[in-house]
Amino acid sequence: MDNIKNGWFTESNDLWPGQRTSLEIEEILYEGRSEFQNIMVLKSKSRGRILILDGIIQCTEHDEFSYQEMISFLPLCAHPNPKKVLIVGGGDGGVAREIAKHPLVEEIIQVEIDAKVVEVSKKYLPFMAEGFRSPKMKLKICDGFEYMRRHQMEFDVIVTDSSDPIGPAVNLFTESYFQLLKRALKSNGIICSQAGTVWVGIEHAKTTIDNCKKHFNVVKYALASVPTYPTGQIGFLLGSLDEGNVLDEPKNVFDENESKEMGLRYYNEDVHRSAFVLPNFVRRVFQF
Amino acid sequence: MDNIKNGWFTESNDLWPGQRTSLEIEEILYEGRSEFQNIMVLKSKSRGRILILDGIIQCTEHDEFSYQEMISFLPLCAHPNPKKVLIVGGGDGGVAREIAKHPLVEEIIQVEIDAKVVEVSKKYLPFMAEGFRSPKMKLKICDGFEYMRRHQMEFDVIVTDSSDPIGPAVNLFTESYFQLLKRALKSNGIICSQAGTVWVGIEHAKTTIDNCKKHFNVVKYALASVPTYPTGQIGFLLGSLDEGNVLDEPKNVFDENESKEMGLRYYNEDVHRSAFVLPNFVRRVFQF
């Protein structure tokens, strides 16, 4: 806990050198180690409860919704009929919570390698972990790679909700991972993965896009605002096997009443389209 | 300089309590006090040179372009013929640099209250201060309120590039300020002002919008990503006296070649349109 001092938690990491984010802490709710990583849940003064894995903030109660909604509804609404969905990672339950909301989704399989993250989230982050209570959900504690090798041509949508490309998540950004995703999808399937930030190390995002392009016919990159993440923004990589699929045009839309009932605080059809609009410096590197 | 410790500068402020941003520092290039505020220029390890006023980061070399381009080109391109432009504030020169690029702009008046900020920027932030060298530019060191009282129905576009609503900038968010702006504009004039963040204290942005609506026929809010600002995002308030002006549709557009020649790294016509697309939680509060 050398990252907590005088009542402040500080995040610092080699992925974004020379910068640190600090949050004032009211209480340490949990601290422990699983087989895979260090897990901490803090109660902060300004952002509610925070989940931290290996010293890196995964989500805060106040702004997690933009991330969870976007990584879920971008691929779900880009798909004409997303019945069966696989979540890789996402042990806090936030992505499952969002995907379970979609009226066309009938079945959700989630594979998370770290049972401890699920257990801790259920106890200390109930607003996230409510996803696990959906009758559509089947949670499997196992390795996502192994699971996908045994399940081919099965899913309409696969969401990879990983931590950053260090530690256990490093393999989720490689070409062989995209090959595995491709095989686990039905012929018109769509994937969506967390894909870093364009403001620090844009080359890493470019490499991930190029890896994805080797196996997917349509590849796009979308942006969302998440204040607590370094640079305040995160990118998502979307890939479609159907070469006719224009990913930035939502196939299913919700009106304001439906949206309120579903508890959507960030995502709407205009946000969907505009998330794919990239600033010049990004467009030029990605060559979109 | 109690905000520099062990080679790190830390920004902390009551406007965004419970959170702090820290940047690793290589060198303190300037530190002094003007009649109005404390001024500091630091060389950081990861974001280049940084201008800090009263302890708050105004811009960093690595990401200032998104702010300067958006606060300038959103109103300029929303206007059919922006010939004469007034800049209120903007002492670092970054906004002048962008506005001078627009081919239709013939004359730029800038009123900045603090001569010291201009002097320091010219010396230590030459990439910003190059705006002052444009032949279109007339810089006046005086109070913006006073200047506008003496110049009515004169400008096509007025950009208010202020610091946050504490200290010298607090009056730039009030109803009487918008009244003053209205009178200084020609009949189809457009304003654009820095308007805080929607992620902390959204009520303040809502109040500013309501103040603006009392004097402008069309009022809109746009978003841009600026990693170094608290929450990583900043909002801009745009107002038009011409009730037929759809602010989110650019009237002048630049192709990729023109854009590269103008050195536009963030702004393009699609970014213009999508900047006005707001997440549900913002749209619901602003009632747009």
Side-chain angles (χ1 to χ4, degrees), chain A residues 6-272:
Chain A
N6 303 323
W8 287 73
F9 165 80
T10 295
E11 177 189 70
S12 102
N13 194 277
D14 289 344
L15 285 176
W16 41 91
Q19 73 169 85
R20 289 177 188 159
T21 300
S22 304
L23 294 172
E24 196 172 359
I25 297 309
E26 288 184 341
E27 197 183 342
I28 298 171
L29 296 170
Y30 176 83
E31 224 252 323
R33 251 203 91 76
S34 74
E35 185 186 342
F36 302 96
Q37 51 206 337
N38 183 280
I39 304 170
M40 201 154 59
V41 180
L42 306 176
K43 194 179 164 206
S44 73
K45 214 159 177 171
S46 61
R47 308 242 170 133
R49 295 184 173 208
I50 316 172
L51 173 65
I52 295 158
L53 299 179
D54 282 342
I56 299 182
I57 297 171
Q58 302 299 307
C59 55
T60 83
E61 192 170 352
H62 283 202
D63 65 15
E64 52 87 13
F65 65 92
S66 62
Y67 176 84
Q68 325 290 347
E69 288 183 24
M70 290 295 272
I71 200 172
S72 305
F73 282 90
L74 287 176
L76 290 178
C77 292
H79 195 288
N81 193 13
K83 283 189 180 168
K84 190 168 179 180
V85 179
L86 175 67
I87 304 169
V88 180
D92 52 43
V95 171
R97 180 192 69 201
E98 296 305 320
I99 288 178
K101 289 176 181 175
H102 196 292
L104 293 174
V105 170
E106 294 171 357
E107 191 181 354
I108 308 168
I109 312 286
Q110 177 164 0
V111 288
E112 163 63 53
I113 203 165
D114 195 339
K116 195 81 187 164
V117 172
V118 176
E119 183 196 317
V120 169
S121 300
K122 281 182 175 171
K123 187 156 179 193
Y124 297 103
L125 305 166
F127 53 96
M128 305 283 286
E130 66 178 77
F132 296 127
R133 292 201 305 268
S134 164
K136 299 176 181 179
M137 263 294 293
K138 279 181 204 135
L139 175 66
K140 294 172 192 298
I141 302 300
C142 65
D143 178 52
F145 279 73
E146 277 309 309
Y147 183 85
M148 282 195 278
R149 273 187 207 109
R150 287 180 282 110
H151 293 82
Q152 305 207 344
M153 293 196 68
E154 228 176 73
F155 299 98
D156 298 301
V157 169
I158 304 178
V159 172
T160 304
D161 176 24
S162 71
S163 41
D164 292 300
I166 43 166
V170 76
N171 293 322
L172 304 179
F173 298 82
T174 58
E175 192 202 326
S176 59
Y177 183 66
F178 289 107
Q179 190 174 36
L180 210 54
L181 287 169
K182 178 184 180 171
R183 288 182 182 157
L185 281 178
K186 289 183 194 158
S187 61
N188 67 341
I190 291 178
I191 57 156
C192 184
S193 297
Q194 189 266 92
T197 171
V198 296
W199 287 99
V200 178
I202 192 171
E203 308 73 28
H204 184 268
K206 175 74 167 86
T207 305
T208 310
I209 288 171
D210 289 343
N211 289 339
C212 184
K213 277 184 177 169
K214 286 173 191 150
H215 300 285
F216 285 81
N217 292 312
V218 184
V219 176
K220 293 229 164 128
Y221 195 87
L223 298 168
S225 167
V226 187
T228 312
Y229 289 160
T231 81
Q233 193 182 56
I234 197 154
F236 304 106
L237 180 67
L238 282 94
S240 169
L241 293 178
D242 174 2
E243 64 184 25
N245 194 328
V246 182
L247 290 168
D248 46 11
E249 189 53 39
K251 277 79 188 168
N252 312 291
V253 297
F254 313 111
D255 66 25
E256 177 63 4
N257 279 340
E258 290 168 318
S259 166
K260 277 186 175 166
E261 262 171 45
M262 291 162 77
L264 294 179
R265 296 161 66 193
Y266 192 91
Y267 180 89
N268 60 52
E269 59 172 308
D270 297 325
V271 164
H272 184 116

Side-chain angles (χ1 to χ4, degrees), chain A residues 8 17-20 22 24 46-47 199 225 227 256 259 264-268 274 278 280-281 283-284, chain B residues 8 17-20 22 24 46-47 199 225 227 256 259 264-268 274 278 280-281 283-284:
Chain A
W8 287 73
Q19 73 169 85
R20 289 177 188 159
S22 304
E24 196 172 359
S46 61
R47 308 242 170 133
W199 287 99
S225 167
E256 177 63 4
S259 166
L264 294 179
R265 296 161 66 193
Y266 192 91
Y267 180 89
N268 60 52
S274 66
L278 303 175
N280 293 340
F281 79 101
R283 226 170 46 176
R284 286 169 191 153
Chain B
W8 287 74
Q19 73 169 85
R20 290 178 188 158
S22 304
E24 196 172 359
S46 62
R47 309 244 168 130
W199 287 98
S225 167
E256 177 64 2
S259 165
L264 294 178
R265 297 161 67 193
Y266 192 92
Y267 180 88
N268 60 52
S274 66
L278 304 175
N280 293 340
F281 79 100
R283 226 171 47 177
R284 287 170 191 152

Side-chain angles (χ1 to χ4, degrees), chain B residues 35-96:
Chain B
E35 187 187 341
F36 302 97
Q37 53 206 337
N38 184 281
I39 305 170
M40 203 154 55
V41 180
L42 306 176
K43 195 178 163 208
S44 72
K45 216 159 177 172
S46 62
R47 309 244 168 130
R49 294 184 173 207
I50 316 173
L51 173 66
I52 295 159
L53 299 179
D54 282 343
I56 298 182
I57 297 170
Q58 302 299 308
C59 54
T60 82
E61 193 170 351
H62 283 202
D63 65 16
E64 53 86 12
F65 64 92
S66 62
Y67 176 84
Q68 324 290 348
E69 288 183 23
M70 291 295 272
I71 200 171
S72 304
F73 282 90
L74 287 175
L76 290 178
C77 292
H79 195 289
N81 192 13
K83 283 189 182 170
K84 190 168 178 180
V85 179
L86 176 67
I87 304 169
V88 181
D92 52 41
V95 171

Side-chain angles (χ1 to χ4, degrees), chain B residues 47-284:
Chain B
R47 309 244 168 130
R49 294 184 173 207
I50 316 173
L51 173 66
I52 295 159
L53 299 179
D54 282 343
I56 298 182
I57 297 170
Q58 302 299 308
C59 54
T60 82
E61 193 170 351
H62 283 202
D63 65 16
E64 53 86 12
F65 64 92
S66 62
Y67 176 84
Q68 324 290 348
E69 288 183 23
M70 291 295 272
I71 200 171
S72 304
F73 282 90
L74 287 175
L76 290 178
C77 292
H79 195 289
N81 192 13
K83 283 189 182 170
K84 190 168 178 180
V85 179
L86 176 67
I87 304 169
V88 181
D92 52 41
V95 171
R97 180 192 70 201
E98 296 305 319
I99 289 179
K101 289 176 181 173
H102 196 291
L104 294 173
V105 171
E106 295 171 358
E107 191 181 354
I108 308 167
I109 312 286
Q110 177 165 0
V111 288
E112 163 63 53
I113 204 165
D114 195 339
K116 196 80 187 163
V117 172
V118 176
E119 184 196 317
V120 169
S121 299
K122 281 182 175 169
K123 188 158 179 193
Y124 297 103
L125 305 165
F127 53 96
M128 304 283 285
E130 66 178 77
F132 295 128
R133 291 200 305 268
S134 165
K136 299 176 181 179
M137 263 294 293
K138 281 182 202 133
L139 174 67
K140 294 172 192 297
I141 301 300
C142 65
D143 177 53
F145 279 74
E146 276 310 308
Y147 183 86
M148 282 195 279
R149 273 187 206 109
R150 288 180 282 110
H151 293 81
Q152 304 207 345
M153 292 197 69
E154 230 177 73
F155 299 97
D156 298 301
V157 169
I158 303 178
V159 171
T160 304
D161 175 25
S162 71
S163 42
D164 292 300
I166 43 165
V170 76
N171 293 322
L172 304 178
F173 298 82
T174 58
E175 190 201 326
S176 58
Y177 184 66
F178 290 107
Q179 190 174 35
L180 210 54
L181 287 169
K182 177 184 181 172
R183 288 182 183 159
L185 281 178
K186 288 182 194 157
S187 61
N188 67 341
I190 291 177
I191 57 156
C192 183
S193 297
Q194 188 267 92
T197 171
V198 297
W199 287 98
V200 177
I202 191 171
E203 308 72 27
H204 184 268
K206 174 75 167 86
T207 304
T208 311
I209 288 170
D210 290 342
N211 288 339
C212 185
K213 278 185 177 168
K214 286 173 191 151
H215 299 285
F216 285 81
N217 291 313
V218 184
V219 176
K220 294 230 164 126
Y221 196 87
L223 298 168
S225 167
V226 188
T228 312
Y229 289 160
T231 80
Q233 194 182 55
I234 197 153
F236 304 106
L237 180 66
L238 281 95
S240 170
L241 293 178
D242 174 3
E243 64 184 24
N245 194 328
V246 182
L247 290 167
D248 46 11
E249 188 54 38
K251 277 80 189 168
N252 312 292
V253 296
F254 313 111
D255 66 26
E256 177 64 2
N257 279 340
E258 291 168 319
S259 165
K260 277 185 175 165
E261 263 171 45
M262 292 162 76
L264 294 178
R265 297 161 67 193
Y266 192 92
Y267 180 88
N268 60 52
E269 59 172 307
D270 297 325
V271 164
H272 184 116
R273 291 185 194 99
S274 66
F276 292 91
V277 172
L278 304 175
N280 293 340
F281 79 100
V282 181
R283 226 171 47 177
R284 287 170 191 152

